[in-house]
Amino acid sequence: MDDRKQIFVVGLDDFHLQHLNSVRGSANYAFHPLADYSAIVLPKRYDIPAILDQARRTLDQAPRVDAIIGHWDFPTTSILPVLRREYGLPTPSLESVLLCEHKYWNRLACEAAVPECTPPFQAIDPYADDPLATLKLPYPFWLKPAVAFSSLLGFRVESDTQFRAAIDAIARGIPVFAEPFQAFTERVEHPERLPGSGSGATALAEGIIQGRLCTLEGYVFNGEVVVYAILDSLRGANQISFVSYQYPSSLPIPVQERMKDYARRLLKHIGLDQTPFNMEFFWDEDVDKIWLLEVNPRISKSHCPIFEIATGASHHEVAIDISLGRRPRFPRPEGRFPMAAKFMPRVYGDARVLRVPDAEQIHALQRTHPELSIHIQVAEGTQLSELRGQDSYSYEIAELFIGGEDEQHLHDKFRSIMEQLDFRFSEPLETNY
């Protein structure tokens, strides 16, 4: 009999299995895929009943189910509480997860719990006869779907013309998220805990917030909110597209403590429990103002290799412990470098990819930088405008994870590696490297 804990991972792929196996005590775990990766990550349509039925068949055939975890964004975050509830496992309520996933509902919760760090906002019906006539916010503002992930279909809007173009794009693209979100709202046990306004097909307009961006990584265990790490998120020259995530944060400690307090207040108001979370804040240094951007009821998968480099293990460890009903003990100072980062090389403009680095080039770099992990996201012949899951202003061509002695060392190493990787395009393009 296999005495290892049987852990099922929604949308498991080889890249994340590698990082799951980096956690302390991994020899005591058996990781199994749950639901097809292709059905979870960027499908043309999320068929929630089919995904849940396939997952149930897998779980029902298993000798034992000790935990169900996942690291992908919506709909994985909402699949987890449905399945955990059915199989008697520790779980946040589906209602509390939906209050995180729906950006308009989350802003309502922020307004109630942490109004001092909530920007002005309003819901917009993209299918109204004249959405512009319902607009109350002054320009400029951000316009985005209430349910989506990353910066998909997010637009900075500064005029009526830009508003009409953005709301039309959202109206065309939002059904891929609205339909599955509706499927989850029909599965909640306490619908009275959800707002009465704003469907999955809602758009959110919110005031521009700015400053130094960071992400809190934490968990809620038996009602206690714990923040165990803060990472800085650096943006490119357009102040929209991310360049890197860096650990640990360089924000002043008093600012970090205020953010932790806001996190506790919001999550207790929402009722989120028995789950990891990450939460993004801006600190406007000039006026010492903190703004809350968003909360996600999961670990940030982008940070897994960062923690592995800087602390010795991926924070999948936190998700595993929580799912098994244990208090996490993370992080520990067992990494190879005092700092680590994820870099996202981007190009600003459309072109065809003429050259990508081959395996030997990458292996040569890894001999020089043993901690280096590279995820190439384009191939020779790729037309950048055909890439899926991109923000509205740039194209991400790869992911690089590296360690360094300090921030300057990290950025110098990134630029040196990109020069050696030697991506080439059919047109001269501005890049962030």
Side-chain angles (χ1 to χ4, degrees):
M1 180 178 177
D2 191 345
D3 293 331
R4 295 177 299 171
K5 295 292 186 183
Q6 305 299 305
I7 301 175
F8 291 81
V9 187
V10 176
L12 181 61
D13 61 356
D14 290 341
F15 180 77
H16 289 95
L17 178 59
Q18 172 188 342
H19 294 292
L20 281 163
N21 284 321
S22 83
V23 304
R24 283 167 278 255
S26 60
N28 299 317
Y29 307 137
F31 298 110
H32 307 283
L34 184 65
D36 290 340
Y37 174 90
S38 59
I40 295 296
V41 182
L42 293 177
K44 292 183 178 179
R45 176 176 176 267
Y46 294 101
D47 188 338
I48 299 304
I51 292 170
L52 289 173
D53 285 346
Q54 182 197 41
R56 292 183 186 111
R57 286 194 296 271
T58 300
L59 296 171
D60 289 344
Q61 293 169 6
R64 194 173 75 250
V65 178
D66 293 306
I68 304 172
I69 65 173
H71 44 263
W72 299 107
D73 214 320
F74 180 83
T76 296
T77 43
S78 297
I79 290 170
L80 292 175
V82 172
L83 294 175
R84 287 168 173 166
R85 184 177 66 195
E86 292 178 6
Y87 288 84
L89 301 171
T91 186
S93 69
L94 178 57
E95 293 87 344
S96 67
V97 168
L98 296 181
L99 285 171
C100 296
E101 291 294 359
H102 193 289
K103 293 179 175 62
Y104 174 64
W105 291 355
N106 190 257
R107 280 303 185 207
L108 293 175
C110 292
E111 187 177 51
V114 287
E116 61 267 50
C117 58
T118 304
F121 67 96
Q122 75 168 99
I124 302 285
D125 180 358
Y127 302 109
D129 291 339
D130 184 5
L132 182 60
T134 68
L135 181 63
K136 299 175 183 177
L137 282 187
Y139 297 118
F141 55 80
W142 277 101
L143 189 64
K144 61 187 77 171
V147 182
F149 52 78
S150 301
S151 300
L152 199 62
L153 292 174
F155 299 92
R156 182 184 171 103
V157 175
E158 300 182 354
S159 67
D160 290 356
T161 299
Q162 290 182 355
F163 177 87
R164 291 191 180 95
I167 202 69
D168 286 349
I170 290 172
R172 291 192 302 272
I174 204 171
V176 73
F177 303 108
E179 179 185 331
F181 189 83
Q182 180 63 30
F184 288 113
T185 62
E186 295 168 357
R187 289 168 167 78
V188 300
E189 291 184 308
H190 300 283
E192 71 277 5
R193 296 179 182 173
L194 300 178
S197 61
S199 69
T202 302
L204 173 69
E206 62 181 16
I208 302 294
I209 54 180
Q210 61 186 9
R212 293 170 61 180
L213 181 61
C214 70
T215 301
L216 279 60
E217 287 278 5
Y219 60 84
V220 192
F221 181 74
N222 292 342
E224 180 186 2
V225 178
V226 176
V227 175
Y228 58 82
I230 301 182
L231 299 88
D232 292 330
S233 302
L234 305 187
R235 295 177 184 263
N238 66 4
Q239 294 301 306
I240 297 170
S241 305
F242 289 111
V243 173
S244 66
Y245 304 141
Q246 299 176 184
Y247 173 80
S249 172
S250 62
L251 289 178
I253 296 301
V255 174
Q256 297 186 30
E257 292 302 319
R258 286 160 58 195
M259 292 177 176
K260 292 178 184 178
D261 181 62
Y262 289 139
R264 294 185 191 100
R265 287 164 53 186
L266 177 61
L267 296 182
K268 286 183 179 294
H269 175 79
I270 289 174
L272 194 70
D273 202 358
Q274 305 307 117
T275 183
F277 71 86
N278 71 81
M279 193 176 296
E280 294 181 79
F281 287 92
F282 281 104
W283 177 47
D284 189 335
E285 189 172 4
D286 292 340
V287 295
D288 192 26
K289 176 73 173 178
I290 293 175
W291 297 103
L292 196 159
L293 179 58
E294 67 178 29
V295 55
N296 299 293
R298 56 175 174 81
I299 65 170
S300 172
K301 66 184 186 308
S302 292
H303 298 159
C304 293
I306 295 175
F307 284 117
E308 188 175 343
I309 293 168
T311 75
S314 162
H315 64 329
H316 277 300
E317 188 172 305
V318 174
I320 292 168
D321 283 339
I322 291 288
S323 67
L324 291 170
R326 302 187 308 218
R327 179 182 296 277
R329 293 189 301 119
F330 187 91
R332 293 171 239 180
E334 300 172 2
R336 290 168 282 179
F337 290 90
M339 288 195 72
K342 171 185 177 179
F343 285 92
M344 291 150 276
R346 295 178 181 275
V347 296
Y348 303 93
D350 190 20
R352 187 166 53 85
V353 179
L354 298 181
R355 184 189 183 281
V356 298
D358 59 28
E360 180 50 41
Q361 277 184 290
I362 293 172
H363 291 155
L365 281 165
Q366 288 171 330
R367 287 192 289 271
T368 304
H369 309 291
E371 87 285 5
L372 172 64
S373 175
I374 301 178
H375 228 20
I376 305 297
Q377 302 189 155
V378 294
E380 291 183 10
T382 298
Q383 191 71 33
L384 294 176
S385 58
E386 295 176 0
L387 291 172
R388 302 181 65 194
Q390 303 291 310
D391 69 30
S392 302
Y393 300 93
S394 68
Y395 301 103
E396 183 180 329
I397 60 173
E399 297 176 337
L400 279 72
F401 297 90
I402 53 177
E405 298 302 322
D406 54 36
E407 185 172 6
Q408 187 63 52
H409 184 209
L410 280 173
H411 285 260
D412 289 346
K413 183 185 285 191
F414 167 61
R415 285 189 288 270
S416 172
I417 289 171
M418 287 305 299
E419 184 176 350
Q420 294 174 74
L421 289 175
D422 192 24
F423 287 87
R424 298 179 191 175
F425 306 94
S426 61
E427 305 289 339
L429 296 174
E430 179 185 353
T431 74
N432 65 3
Y433 55 88

